[in-house]
Amino acid sequence: MKMGRVIGSVVATRKDPSLEGVKFLVVEQLALDMEPEGGYVIAVDAVGAGLNDTVLFAGGSSARQTDVTRDRPVDAVIMAIIDSFDAYGKTTRLT
Amino acid sequence: MKMGRVIGSVVATRKDPSLEGVKFLVVEQLALDMEPEGGYVIAVDAVGAGLNDTVLFAGGSSARQTDVTRDRPVDAVIMAIIDSFDAYGKTTRLT
Amino acid sequence: MKMGRVIGSVVATRKDPSLEGVKFLVVEQLALDMEPEGGYVIAVDAVGAGLNDTVLFAGGSSARQTDVTRDRPVDAVIMAIIDSFDAYGKTTRLT
Amino acid sequence: MKMGRVIGSVVATRKDPSLEGVKFLVVEQLALDMEPEGGYVIAVDAVGAGLNDTVLFAGGSSARQTDVTRDRPVDAVIMAIIDSFDAYGKTTRLT
Amino acid sequence: MKMGRVIGSVVATRKDPSLEGVKFLVVEQLALDMEPEGGYVIAVDAVGAGLNDTVLFAGGSSARQTDVTRDRPVDAVIMAIIDSFDAYGKTTRLT
């Protein structure tokens, strides 16, 4: 998993039928200092994430292991919203 | 998933038999400002995408979770056509 | 998938038993202008590709969805030989 | 797999229900000279790893092949703690 | 697959129980001119590879398609030892 920040969403009415009702969020990838790493991913929301939330997202077949994404053609999922994390002895609180 | 723009297509008559009738599109990857990121992917079309459409594509085993791609040797699929998206508070309309 | 050019082959007599008779080809990855992108992959041939052919190859678990590769420890397969492709309004014929 | 060093952990109370009780660790990726390679991954701990441990981690669907991670939406797992390794004829002891 | 050279091994006594008896080798990735590409991977040996052997390794779920690796949390496997390869009309013999 990587850390990311929700910065937007995508609207798509023509899509694979299995994706009806699925919410696509735009996530920028974050470094451990909370700065953007320069990339983004469009991930399905499985946990009710909102704009500016700092989240964990998973990719590949692992992205299909939630009730929202199972058997669907999606390769990235937000599976947790981060409250805080420690890195190099420093704690960062996000909520 | 990533955002991409359909910029062409591929014709291949010699191929794995399971790929008969499958449409291969050339997709350039887009950054959030709609500029090309420099890479491309050949993706199977599962939603009737056409030239210049802005699309979502998925990779890996997730690319096989549509009726068009199931059990076939393809690792990228267009699974949605984007109408609009928000990023950093700005809305981009595409249709 | 990506486009590649077959530039050679690999001989390996000590290998996983399931790989008996499998043909390993050296493929250089191509950009859309047909220039090498700088990387290579060793891919299993599932379509009778030969030296200098321009091909499509797929990676990951999708590489195992052909009769030649099913249930075998290979992560790249040539699943089509390209006749021609269009990109940015220009057609490139290869056969 | 890659080698990494455990440098922290992540707390997330809102998450996919299947992730209750799962421990998320922050792992920096290491080069063979034990210097950080510049990237990080958030990995699930399957072996009781602790801060500053040097570990092996696996990604993709392989990350779900432990009792801790099976069928869960996680794409990285710590599956071993390294005691020592040899590279280029030099042995590095870590415990 | 990619070509690599076995340059060492890893010892890990605390690990997922399914990994008992599995041999972890350090593999540096090779370019087609046999020079290191700069990266490394820790791969499970499925073919009796030894120090300095030039090998083929596969990643992702494909790494689990050998008797040694099946259902285990490993994402890279050495599945062949290279005798020779051709590239750009030049043959390189390794054994």
Side-chain angles (χ1 to χ4, degrees), chain E residues 34-68:
Chain E
M34 297 291 289
E35 292 299 310
E37 284 196 327
Y40 78 95
V41 65
I42 311 296
V44 169
D45 176 32
V47 291
L51 202 61
N52 292 320
D53 279 350
T54 304
V55 298
L56 280 184
F57 62 94
S61 60
S62 300
R64 301 198 308 272
Q65 310 294 315
T66 75
D67 287 347
V68 177

Side-chain angles (χ1 to χ4, degrees), chain A residues 1-3 30-32 37 47-48 56-59 61-62 65-66 79-88, chain D residues 7-16 19 24 26 28 40-42 44 60-61 64 71-76:
Chain A
M1 283 70 67
K2 296 280 283 186
M3 300 198 307
L30 296 178
L32 291 175
E37 284 196 326
V47 291
L56 280 183
F57 62 94
S61 61
S62 301
Q65 310 295 316
T66 73
M79 23 58 80
I81 300 173
I82 302 178
D83 296 319
S84 66
F85 69 96
D86 292 287
Y88 303 113
Chain D
I7 59 161
S9 58
V10 172
V11 176
T13 46
R14 289 173 62 187
K15 57 193 162 195
D16 187 77
L19 298 173
F24 293 106
V26 186
E28 66 178 0
Y40 78 94
V41 65
I42 310 296
V44 169
S61 60
R64 301 198 307 273
D71 298 329
R72 296 189 163 113
V74 298
D75 64 7

